[in-house]
Amino acid sequence: MGAVKGKRMPRAVREQQMMDAAVRTFGQRGYRAASMDEIAELAGVSKPLVYLYLNSKEDLFSACIKREADALLEAVRAGVDPSLPADAQLWSGLRAFFVHTAENPDAWSVLHRQARSHGEPFVTEVSGMRDGIVAFVTGLIGAAAREAHSDPALADRDVAGLAQALVGAAESLAGWANDTPDVSAREAAATLMNFAWAGLENLMHARPWTPPAG
Amino acid sequence: MGAVKGKRMPRAVREQQMMDAAVRTFGQRGYRAASMDEIAELAGVSKPLVYLYLNSKEDLFSACIKREADALLEAVRAGVDPSLPADAQLWSGLRAFFVHTAENPDAWSVLHRQARSHGEPFVTEVSGMRDGIVAFVTGLIGAAAREAHSDPALADRDVAGLAQALVGAAESLAGWANDTPDVSAREAAATLMNFAWAGLENLMHARPWTPPAG
């Protein structure tokens, strides 16, 4: 992240640079240990300017959570093409999730570890993002169930439970993938898609789900 | 929880009563809002006695995390009969997990919400328990893969990823089941077993995994 010191930069651009530096620092050091000095230095601005623009360490952390939560949700939504068959939609959504968390490990650490481990209001803010993802996945699984139009159809409550299971599995795998050397986003997504779509029984008998090319 | 005021009660019994009261209070009020006055009153002892035996609110909370983590891990281990086929082992382990979390919702709230949202040393303590559960599930899935002796067998890394996915799904579902009226432990376990064993594709086509009777 280059330290840009020109004086004519618009406030919005400066703020994004400060938040880039803050996400990196919070994600790598943890919320408590991160210092505003370090964030200001990494952003190439003075510490008073960080306080002037973003008010306090708490407000800066909240702003980072909000920005990164919106970015993750948007990445997942954008990854899903609603014209595709159900399994391809789920696959592309999962892949978008794992690509985003792999490319933004500090942001994922802020959302998944830091925000949840430092009490309110951060826990509530990140819960809101999680609810948004669960709602989106509930919609995908519900659409897949209608597409298969099996009889009896899956009850709404079953669909809600399956969405909780899939989101919990994805959160857990994303942390593991970021902590484990050489696990790629594609591999993490394929592991979860195999698990979710084909099920363990098929995996045990070497009948995995096969991702589409590309 | 009756307030027992007899003076001859052994210290170990008193401590367990204090911890019962503490788990209930921490689970329902949250760590910050829980007061030592309330815990002492619920345990039927004086507040100085709680401090004498368990030292501080932090130490009491740590003791609760440790006790409830051990109890959960033990419940899951005890629920699994290693002489059963792989899917029946997983089913019985999942059912033991959901029965335990449903019967001890305050303990689950302490482990899954409170301990993780109040920083160190609590986050590390509860991570240790999670690692223990992941290791146990990794063993179960690995045994299932060897039992199926498919060729190619699942690589160790695939097994590790699948265990992460299953544990994450179980955590997410347990919170949902406890927050949703009338979702039973058996129903939550069946949802996850369907998801994990049969996979979404089979569920979409009304081919669920069928739990053994009993």
Side-chain angles (χ1 to χ4, degrees), chain A residues 130 157 164 172 187 196 200, chain B residues 130 157 164 172 187 196 200:
Chain A
R130 188 182 200 274
R157 199 161 76 172
Q164 288 284 347
S172 179
E187 184 181 344
L200 287 175
Chain B
R130 189 182 200 273
R157 198 161 76 171
Q164 288 283 348
S172 178
E187 184 180 343
L200 287 175

Side-chain angles (χ1 to χ4, degrees), chain A residues 56-100:
Chain A
S56 67
K57 187 173 168 186
E58 290 71 22
D59 285 356
L60 176 57
F61 190 51
S62 279
C64 290
I65 293 170
K66 182 162 181 3
R67 187 183 80 167
E68 297 307 331
D70 288 348
L72 175 57
L73 192 50
E74 181 50 34
V76 173
R77 281 185 206 278
V80 174
D81 175 352
S83 69
L84 295 176
D87 66 332
Q89 285 190 47
L90 270 177
W91 160 250
S92 57
L94 290 176
R95 197 167 57 167
F97 173 82
F98 287 107
V99 165
H100 187 86

